[in-house]
Amino acid sequence: MDSKGSSQKGSRLLLLLVVSNLLLCQGVVSTPVCPNGPGNCQVSLRDLFDRAVMVSHYIHDLSSEMFNEFDKRYAQGKGFITMALNSCHTSSLPTPEDKEQAQQTHHEVLMSLILGLLRSWNDPLYHLVTEVRGMKGAPDAILSRAIEIEEENKRLLEGMEMIFGQVIPGAKETEPYPVWSGLPSLQTKDEDARYSAFYNLLHCLRRDSSKIDTYLKLLNCRIIYNNNC
Amino acid sequence: MDLWQLLLTLAVAGSSDAFSGSEDSSGNPKFTKCRSPELETFSCHWTDGANHSLQSPGSVQMFYIRRDIQEWKECPDYVSAGENSCYFNSSYTSVWTPYCIKLTSNGGIVDHKCFSVEDIVQPDPPVGLNWTLLNISLTEIHADILVKWEPPPNTDVKMGWIILEYELHYKELNETQWKMMDPLMVTSVPMYSLRLDKEYEVRVRTRQRNTEKYGKFSEVLLITFPQMNPSACEEDFQFPWFLIIIFGILGLAVTLFLLIFSKQQRIKMLILPPVPVPKIKGIDPDLLKEGKLEEVNTILAIHDNYKHEFYNDDSWVEFIELDIDDPDEKTEGSDTDRLLSNDHEKSLNIFGAKDDDSGRTSCYEPDILEADFHVSDMCDGTSEVAQPQRLKGEADISCLDQKNQNNSPSNDAAPASQQPSVILVEENKPRPLLIGGTESTHQAVHTQLSNPSSLANIDFYAQVSDITPAGNVVLSPGQKNKTGNPQCDTHPEVVTPCQANFIVDNAYFCEVDAKKYIALAPHVEAESHVEPSFNQEDIYTTTESLTTTAGRSGTAEHVPSSEIPVPDYTSIHIVQSPQGLVLNATALPLPDKEFLSSCGYVSTDQLNKIMP
């Protein structure tokens, strides 16, 4: 947790820098992204959103592929319909479930929800990579994607924090995010149980990446294009 | 969670039927597909079963369950989506929530399925497909158009709730295969270079980004261009390649035939040049042609023999003979006798050999100082051809020799035991002195002159007294106790060109050999003086000759006795005085090979051995 605190402090510093730049130059709509280095430029919100949408789309693609790969390899014929049984660890977050709800959610709330989702997946992704590595006969397709998703997740988190700082200057205290506790089930000796845990985790990852992707696109059209994408 | 566990049991029980997709032989209703066109509603469809007629129409029911609503509910709308379907409107639709549905027939579960709404998105086809003309080419043959369409109306792309991806297909009217373009995110796309006289068809379909399933195709749009000009659009001029090729080949063949069979030699030579005959320099090709092999052989043999002579082991001796070009020389006995004899004129001739060029060029080899037998040989041989420069070089050598003699006492022990090493060692020492300048040589000469002892009676080397403008060296008459340092003094200014240096080096090389003998003889030999009669010839005295005599005399105090008529000059290996032969076998061990290879001169004994 300490590392997370320090990283948050660092991100907060960055946020302040970005916010100060934003306050200084209000009229700039779009400028080149940091031509003189990260400390002396201002990234436009449009660029930040474009980048964030790209990354979230990529994460969703990767997680879908990874799930399909795992399903094909380990879950066929085993009846892993546990998605009906097990819930994801992020289910406690009050995310909007349809378009009307999403339309009525304020962008601040939506952004903090996105941040919460991203943060809550840091730990599971890390362990996913470790455990997939240890899985016997783990195909490279799954492992490489897991590693990639972990990196991209961190990247998206940074970007989102920057966007958050720009859209909502004077960001408030970070909301607590759900903690994942499914590590024991990933490390259990029972192979079927372990595979089932993996299946569930990958399914949840796919679902949450879809949520993040949709919310971000929603925010992008609402904030940047004024609901006229 | 009880319901969920029940659901799991059901799922496990019916999994094979639900997911295998195999035909239900019993004719029960089955789910065909569930679909959401805009991520806001969805509907599920099922087949009616084979023997539906037997069943009552209302016996089929569908139930669904959601995680947050943990009870089975019946389908809210059996009508809106058509027959055998269930429609869930937006209030019943919850994205990212797992649904499970089941189909019952007369109370018995016949099928069930679980899914999430975001996984079953399949948009409706785009609408409003149309095109506009962008521009027409100058030739009025081609045109560019822009095809536009609208997303399906029920999808909320403006808000960004769903992001769509489009795929355009097009083809000419009479074609059967559709061509497809890459997926686009925008609702318009240009098409370039369509032919104005043809008609085209386009259609477009869409899917949600990140999913795999496309929706249905839109309606096909027909593109026809109004006839601009009724003028005949001429077809592309088909270049008559075929005719041109045929005629070209014919013409070429005719030309070739004419050339080959024509009597015009000139043109023939131009087109078909003759094969060149082999040529050997110096040999008339006619000889080869006419088959006069004997003459060719002789010509070649001459060259061969000449070369062969050079590289013979006894080249020193042999070389002399070659220079004279007198085969009789060989039969005259050892060179020792030759030199000792009165016909030193002849000897002079020997050493005044012509054919400087051959040796000289070889003496220009840069790496002379290597213990290269051949090189030293040739240099020795050519050095025999006295040159003014050479004499100067010798003068230097003789001067140097003096210096070496000074150093000789220190080397007493060494030379006797290790000839080759001494050679090498001494070789290095005088060399820099030589190159350095004549000053050292002068010094050497002085010292040398200071000890003109036993050699007084013998003229083993000659003193150069003057050099004539013609280039001949004037040697002082064979005198004893010649004082002074004439050699070194008189011709200090004679600059030795490369050639001299080379000679010097070569002589130096041999001198080294001699020096070892000098070492044995602590006494310094006086410069021998060459008689002026040598002027006519191109003679030189090698340092070797000078030093060897000294060396020889070193074994004993007795200088090569004067009782023996010493020729005005001597060559190293021929250094005379039988008893004074430094290369006395008793005095020195004779590593024949080394000896020979080092300096290219042979001791009398060796000479005797070599010469039959």
Side-chain angles (χ1 to χ4, degrees), chain A residues 57 60 83 97 103 206, chain B residues 67 95 97 119 156 159 210:
Chain A
H57 179 85
H60 181 54
M83 66 173 182
E97 293 294 307
Q103 258 176 335
R206 190 177 74 157
Chain B
R67 183 189 304 287
V95 192
T97 306
D119 295 334
D156 194 348
M159 203 182 117
N210 291 5

Side-chain angles (χ1 to χ4, degrees), chain B residues 107-169:
Chain B
I109 297 173
V110 289
D111 199 2
H112 79 286
K113 197 170 166 173
C114 291
F115 56 88
S116 277
V117 177
E118 75 269 14
D119 295 334
I120 56 168
V121 176
Q122 207 170 348
D124 289 334
V127 295
L129 192 60
N130 64 357
W131 67 275
T132 55
L133 190 67
L134 287 176
N135 51 30
I136 299 180
S137 68
L138 289 172
T139 56
E140 293 190 2
I141 296 175
H142 298 104
D144 304 333
I145 64 169
L146 183 73
V147 182
K148 285 191 304 200
W149 59 90
E150 295 295 319
N154 53 0
T155 57
D156 194 348
V157 275
K158 276 196 176 357
M159 203 182 117
W161 182 246
I162 185 170
I163 308 290
L164 291 174
E165 198 173 63
Y166 305 97
E167 190 186 69
L168 188 88
H169 291 208

Side-chain angles (χ1 to χ4, degrees), chain A residues 56 59-60 63 88-98 101-102 110 113-114 117-118 121 156 203-219, chain B residues 39 94-98 116 118 160-161 208 210:
Chain A
S56 75
I59 292 175
H60 181 54
S63 56
C88 299
H89 68 284
T90 52
S91 301
S92 59
L93 283 174
T95 53
E97 293 294 307
D98 61 22
Q101 284 182 25
L110 218 45
L113 281 174
I114 294 171
L117 278 169
L118 289 170
W121 273 103
L156 185 58
H203 184 260
C204 286
L205 178 63
R206 190 177 74 157
R207 199 191 76 169
D208 283 349
S209 63
S210 171
K211 270 192 194 175
I212 293 166
D213 194 35
T214 307
Y215 296 158
L216 255 181
K217 285 164 185 168
L218 206 67
L219 282 173
Chain B
L39 206 64
S94 173
V95 192
W96 304 298
T97 306
S116 277
E118 75 269 14
W161 182 246
Q208 189 199 19
N210 291 5

